[in-house]
Amino acid sequence: MAGQRIRIRLKAYDHRVIDQSARDIADTVKRTGARVAGPIPLPTRIERFTVQRSPHADKKSQETFEQRTTSG
């Protein structure tokens, strides 16, 4: 059984849920006697959207929104 690995990628909107789930999984794995390496945080993907404030005029007046997703 040497050389076997398992990788688990968790996704959630609330970081507390991910932290608790990772802690539960790591505790369960440690109880079985396996070696645990992690949790390793994945990079944050940032999506930016730029929209005009006015529907018809004033091109220079814009707003930028961003959505951050912690996943790889």
Side-chain angles (χ1 to χ4, degrees):
M1 287 234 194
Q4 290 184 347
R5 287 184 175 208
I6 184 169
R7 287 184 172 187
I8 300 172
R9 178 179 288 181
L10 303 174
K11 292 183 181 182
Y13 289 106
D14 188 5
H15 67 89
R16 289 173 286 222
V17 174
I18 290 180
D19 293 340
Q20 181 62 40
S21 298
R23 200 173 308 116
D24 292 344
I25 291 169
D27 291 343
T28 304
V29 171
K30 286 178 188 175
R31 271 189 269 129
T32 63
R35 193 167 33 123
V36 177
I40 299 169
L42 296 172
T44 301
R45 187 181 74 182
I46 302 173
E47 290 180 273
R48 290 193 175 96
F49 306 99
T50 303
V51 294
Q52 295 181 8
R53 291 177 193 243
S54 169
H56 300 295
D58 202 10
K59 170 87 170 137
K60 293 181 181 177
S61 177
Q62 297 181 348
E63 273 186 293
T64 302
F65 299 99
E66 69 177 37
Q67 178 178 353
R68 292 173 175 253
T69 308
T70 307
S71 66

